[in-house]
Short mmCIF file of all heavy atoms in Angstrom, two decimals:
data_model
loop_
_atom_site.label_atom_id
_atom_site.label_comp_id
_atom_site.label_asym_id
_atom_site.label_seq_id
_atom_site.Cartn_x
_atom_site.Cartn_y
_atom_site.Cartn_z
N MET V 270 3.92 12.82 -8.91
CA MET V 270 3.43 13.99 -8.18
C MET V 270 3.63 13.71 -6.70
O MET V 270 3.36 12.61 -6.23
CB MET V 270 1.96 14.27 -8.46
CG MET V 270 1.65 14.67 -9.88
SD MET V 270 -0.12 15.01 -10.11
CE MET V 270 -0.78 13.35 -9.97
N GLU V 271 4.13 14.70 -5.98
CA GLU V 271 4.36 14.50 -4.55
C GLU V 271 4.21 15.82 -3.81
O GLU V 271 4.56 16.89 -4.31
CB GLU V 271 5.76 13.94 -4.30
CG GLU V 271 6.07 13.70 -2.83
CD GLU V 271 7.47 13.13 -2.59
OE1 GLU V 271 7.99 12.41 -3.46
OE2 GLU V 271 8.05 13.43 -1.52
N ALA V 272 3.66 15.72 -2.61
CA ALA V 272 3.64 16.84 -1.67
C ALA V 272 4.49 16.44 -0.48
O ALA V 272 4.32 15.36 0.08
CB ALA V 272 2.23 17.15 -1.22
N GLU V 273 5.43 17.31 -0.10
CA GLU V 273 6.32 17.05 1.04
C GLU V 273 6.19 18.19 2.04
O GLU V 273 6.29 19.36 1.67
CB GLU V 273 7.77 16.93 0.56
CG GLU V 273 8.76 16.69 1.69
CD GLU V 273 10.20 16.74 1.20
OE1 GLU V 273 10.68 15.72 0.68
OE2 GLU V 273 10.82 17.83 1.31
N LEU V 274 5.98 17.82 3.29
CA LEU V 274 5.77 18.82 4.34
C LEU V 274 6.83 18.67 5.42
O LEU V 274 6.98 17.60 6.01
CB LEU V 274 4.39 18.65 4.96
CG LEU V 274 4.06 19.58 6.13
CD1 LEU V 274 3.87 21.01 5.65
CD2 LEU V 274 2.82 19.09 6.87
N LYS V 275 7.60 19.72 5.65
CA LYS V 275 8.51 19.79 6.79
C LYS V 275 7.89 20.70 7.83
O LYS V 275 7.54 21.85 7.54
CB LYS V 275 9.87 20.37 6.37
CG LYS V 275 10.74 19.43 5.57
CD LYS V 275 12.11 20.05 5.31
CE LYS V 275 13.03 19.09 4.60
NZ LYS V 275 14.37 19.69 4.35
N THR V 276 7.74 20.19 9.05
CA THR V 276 7.08 20.98 10.07
C THR V 276 7.64 20.63 11.44
O THR V 276 8.64 19.90 11.54
CB THR V 276 5.56 20.74 10.03
OG1 THR V 276 4.91 21.64 10.92
CG2 THR V 276 5.22 19.31 10.39
N LYS V 277 7.01 21.13 12.48
CA LYS V 277 7.35 20.78 13.85
C LYS V 277 6.09 20.41 14.61
O LYS V 277 5.05 21.05 14.44
CB LYS V 277 8.07 21.95 14.55
CG LYS V 277 9.49 22.17 14.09
CD LYS V 277 10.21 23.19 14.96
CE LYS V 277 11.68 23.33 14.56
NZ LYS V 277 12.39 24.26 15.46
N VAL V 278 6.18 19.36 15.40
CA VAL V 278 5.09 18.92 16.26
C VAL V 278 5.60 18.94 17.69
O VAL V 278 6.60 18.29 18.00
CB VAL V 278 4.61 17.50 15.88
CG1 VAL V 278 3.53 17.03 16.85
CG2 VAL V 278 4.09 17.47 14.46
N ASN V 279 4.96 19.74 18.53
CA ASN V 279 5.43 19.94 19.91
C ASN V 279 6.88 20.41 19.94
O ASN V 279 7.66 20.02 20.82
CB ASN V 279 5.27 18.64 20.72
CG ASN V 279 3.83 18.23 20.87
OD1 ASN V 279 2.93 19.08 20.98
ND2 ASN V 279 3.58 16.92 20.85
N GLY V 280 7.25 21.21 18.96
CA GLY V 280 8.59 21.78 18.90
C GLY V 280 9.64 20.85 18.33
O GLY V 280 10.82 21.23 18.26
N LEU V 281 9.25 19.63 17.90
CA LEU V 281 10.20 18.67 17.36
C LEU V 281 9.97 18.48 15.87
O LEU V 281 8.82 18.44 15.41
CB LEU V 281 10.06 17.32 18.09
CG LEU V 281 10.35 17.36 19.59
CD1 LEU V 281 10.07 16.00 20.21
CD2 LEU V 281 11.79 17.79 19.85
N PRO V 282 11.03 18.36 15.09
CA PRO V 282 10.90 18.32 13.63
C PRO V 282 10.27 17.02 13.12
O PRO V 282 10.43 15.95 13.71
CB PRO V 282 12.35 18.45 13.15
CG PRO V 282 13.18 17.94 14.27
CD PRO V 282 12.44 18.32 15.52
N GLY V 283 9.56 17.15 12.02
CA GLY V 283 8.99 16.00 11.33
C GLY V 283 8.88 16.30 9.85
O GLY V 283 8.90 17.46 9.42
N ILE V 284 8.77 15.24 9.05
CA ILE V 284 8.62 15.40 7.61
C ILE V 284 7.63 14.35 7.12
O ILE V 284 7.66 13.19 7.54
CB ILE V 284 10.00 15.28 6.91
CG1 ILE V 284 9.87 15.53 5.41
CG2 ILE V 284 10.67 13.96 7.21
CD1 ILE V 284 11.22 15.71 4.72
N TYR V 285 6.72 14.78 6.23
CA TYR V 285 5.61 13.95 5.77
C TYR V 285 5.52 14.06 4.25
O TYR V 285 5.87 15.09 3.67
CB TYR V 285 4.29 14.43 6.39
CG TYR V 285 4.27 14.40 7.90
CD1 TYR V 285 5.00 15.32 8.66
CD2 TYR V 285 3.50 13.47 8.59
CE1 TYR V 285 4.99 15.29 10.05
CE2 TYR V 285 3.46 13.43 9.98
CZ TYR V 285 4.21 14.34 10.69
OH TYR V 285 4.20 14.32 12.08
N ASN V 286 5.00 12.99 3.61
CA ASN V 286 4.81 13.10 2.16
C ASN V 286 3.64 12.25 1.69
O ASN V 286 3.17 11.34 2.37
CB ASN V 286 6.09 12.75 1.39
CG ASN V 286 6.40 11.25 1.37
OD1 ASN V 286 5.79 10.46 2.08
ND2 ASN V 286 7.35 10.86 0.56
N LEU V 287 3.16 12.58 0.50
CA LEU V 287 2.14 11.81 -0.20
C LEU V 287 2.45 11.92 -1.68
O LEU V 287 2.61 13.03 -2.20
CB LEU V 287 0.74 12.35 0.10
CG LEU V 287 -0.41 11.72 -0.70
CD1 LEU V 287 -0.54 10.23 -0.38
CD2 LEU V 287 -1.71 12.45 -0.44
N GLY V 288 2.57 10.78 -2.37
CA GLY V 288 2.96 10.81 -3.76
C GLY V 288 2.17 9.83 -4.61
O GLY V 288 1.62 8.84 -4.11
N LEU V 289 2.11 10.13 -5.90
CA LEU V 289 1.44 9.28 -6.87
C LEU V 289 2.28 9.19 -8.12
O LEU V 289 2.79 10.20 -8.62
CB LEU V 289 0.06 9.86 -7.22
CG LEU V 289 -0.70 9.16 -8.36
CD1 LEU V 289 -1.10 7.74 -7.93
CD2 LEU V 289 -1.92 9.97 -8.78
N LEU V 290 2.46 7.97 -8.63
CA LEU V 290 3.14 7.73 -9.90
C LEU V 290 2.12 7.20 -10.90
O LEU V 290 1.31 6.33 -10.56
CB LEU V 290 4.25 6.68 -9.75
CG LEU V 290 5.33 6.89 -8.70
CD1 LEU V 290 6.28 5.69 -8.71
CD2 LEU V 290 6.09 8.15 -8.98
N TYR V 291 2.20 7.71 -12.12
CA TYR V 291 1.34 7.21 -13.20
C TYR V 291 2.20 7.02 -14.43
O TYR V 291 3.04 7.87 -14.75
CB TYR V 291 0.20 8.19 -13.48
CG TYR V 291 -0.63 7.81 -14.69
CD1 TYR V 291 -1.65 6.88 -14.57
CD2 TYR V 291 -0.36 8.36 -15.94
CE1 TYR V 291 -2.41 6.51 -15.68
CE2 TYR V 291 -1.10 8.00 -17.05
CZ TYR V 291 -2.13 7.08 -16.93
OH TYR V 291 -2.86 6.72 -18.02
N THR V 292 2.01 5.89 -15.12
CA THR V 292 2.75 5.68 -16.36
C THR V 292 1.80 5.15 -17.42
O THR V 292 0.88 4.38 -17.12
CB THR V 292 3.92 4.71 -16.18
OG1 THR V 292 4.56 4.50 -17.44
CG2 THR V 292 3.48 3.37 -15.63
N ASN V 293 2.03 5.58 -18.67
CA ASN V 293 1.23 5.08 -19.79
C ASN V 293 1.92 3.91 -20.48
O ASN V 293 1.51 3.50 -21.57
CB ASN V 293 0.96 6.20 -20.80
CG ASN V 293 2.24 6.69 -21.48
OD1 ASN V 293 3.35 6.28 -21.13
ND2 ASN V 293 2.10 7.57 -22.46
N SER V 294 2.94 3.36 -19.85
CA SER V 294 3.63 2.21 -20.40
C SER V 294 2.70 0.99 -20.40
O SER V 294 2.12 0.66 -19.36
CB SER V 294 4.88 1.90 -19.58
OG SER V 294 5.49 0.71 -20.00
#
Side-chain angles (χ1 to χ4, degrees):
M270 295 181 290
E271 180 180 330
E273 179 187 278
L274 177 71
K275 286 185 176 181
T276 187
K277 287 189 175 183
V278 176
N279 296 325
L281 298 175
I284 184 168
Y285 301 71
N286 74 350
L287 174 63
L289 173 67
L290 305 178
Y291 174 83
T292 177
N293 66 354
S294 173

